[in-house]
Amino acid sequence: MLEQGLKGRLALVTGAGRGLGHAIAEAFAERGALVLAGDVSPPVALPDRLDPIGPRVEAIPLDVTDEASVRAAVQLVVASGMGIDVLVNNAGIMYKAPVEETDLESWRRVLDVNLTGAQLCTKHVVPVMKRHGRGRIISIASMTAAIGMETYSAYSASKAALVNLTKVWAAELATAGITANAICPGWVDTPMAADAFVAHLARIHGTSPDEARERLLARVPQHRFLDPREIAHTALFLADDLAAGISGEAIHVDTGLVATFAAGLHRPAG
């Protein structure tokens, strides 16, 4: 069994204040990494949410859409004399609307957070990684990057672009000892993913949340939502030295949804 060697290494995780980002920050800290948990939430709110992790996590204010904020977070590390070994581009938001009802401001905001935010963080972290001759860039995309789902135009576009951006980074940074990969989760049991979509289904079909949840799970090959720790474990693997040969990949952790969707066997409700 492979051991993830992260002791003493530093990971910057964006969108770490809750949900999937929290799970990823926790997993890295438990494996011995020092974690900068960035989030737009006020820093006074983050330690309470991250308290179970312990002292290996430092919560910092970070707005991935603000280049000055990103620069300040990276400079904090540089000033300490440390490098950034792992960047997890996790910060993201969701917006759902039929194409003819799409609000332009909401569209731009989704792309700004989900896509431009990852670009800005990578832009400022890469020079630090290059100086240390090693780095892992892990971006959280989505299964919606590979399939068409009604009302998800802005979110799907941002995640599909993030997958292709990952391939560009992999090509550009290959000789610098830096890998770039994307993880494409299916329905994860987090407030933004599972809970939000279940509520969306309940509204559309006029059912209770429990009924909507069962309706959704009936279309999922493994009939379950993913545990956030499953995505975190995938990120841990990609951060390991023994994953150096994996770069430019979009790894689906989706309980078989994309494969069966493409085969026409399963189609998300709604």
Side-chain angles (χ1 to χ4, degrees):
M1 184 174 180
L2 298 180
E3 293 291 334
Q4 278 74 24
L6 296 174
K7 186 175 182 180
R9 290 183 172 167
L10 189 143
L12 172 59
V13 182
T14 70
R18 64 174 186 154
L20 189 52
H22 178 279
I24 293 170
E26 183 174 37
F28 273 80
E30 287 175 347
R31 291 297 181 93
L34 302 173
V35 180
L36 282 183
D39 201 280
V40 292
S41 301
V44 293
L46 285 170
D48 290 338
R49 295 175 183 169
L50 295 167
D51 184 62
I53 300 175
R56 301 191 66 83
V57 174
E58 180 176 351
I60 60 170
L62 176 60
D63 180 353
V64 299
T65 68
D66 180 355
E67 188 163 15
S69 178
V70 174
R71 186 183 295 111
V74 174
Q75 287 177 345
L76 179 68
V77 178
V78 173
S80 71
M82 297 188 65
I84 298 177
D85 300 284
V86 184
L87 168 65
V88 182
N89 289 313
N90 168 74
I93 59 174
M94 188 179 290
Y95 166 67
K96 301 182 290 292
V99 62
E100 71 273 20
E101 298 175 13
T102 300
D103 173 69
L104 184 56
E105 183 177 349
S106 298
W107 166 277
R108 286 174 172 163
R109 178 63 179 166
V110 169
L111 266 65
D112 205 20
V113 175
N114 297 3
L115 181 62
T116 305
Q119 165 68 18
L120 285 175
C121 290
T122 302
K123 170 186 174 180
H124 287 279
V125 165
V126 160
V128 181
M129 289 181 170
K130 283 185 172 181
R131 287 198 292 271
H132 289 263
R134 181 196 184 278
R136 299 285 183 266
I137 300 167
I138 303 166
S139 297
I140 306 302
S142 168
M143 66 174 179
T144 63
I147 59 178
M149 293 184 63
E150 298 93 336
T151 76
Y152 278 74
S153 56
Y155 186 77
S156 295
S158 70
K159 295 302 187 179
L162 183 57
V163 166
N164 208 57
L165 194 56
T166 295
K167 296 178 185 297
V168 173
W169 294 338
E172 286 187 9
L173 304 172
T175 59
I178 301 170
T179 66
N181 291 286
I183 300 173
C184 299
W187 297 121
V188 184
D189 199 5
T190 65
M192 189 179 84
D195 292 352
F197 191 60
V198 166
H200 180 60
L201 285 180
R203 286 192 301 270
I204 289 175
H205 298 287
T207 64
S208 70
D210 287 343
E211 290 173 323
R213 190 179 183 91
E214 288 304 312
R215 178 186 176 91
L216 177 59
L217 288 178
R219 308 289 182 97
V220 176
Q222 292 185 7
H223 302 293
R224 68 182 182 90
F225 289 111
L226 289 156
D227 188 304
R229 292 173 296 180
E230 295 179 79
I231 308 303
H233 182 79
T234 306
L236 283 172
F237 170 70
L238 291 173
D240 189 77
D241 286 342
L242 291 176
I246 303 173
S247 195
E249 296 298 324
I251 299 173
H252 287 88
V253 185
D254 64 358
T255 66
L257 269 167
V258 168
T260 54
F261 187 100
L265 300 178
H266 290 270
R267 185 171 182 269

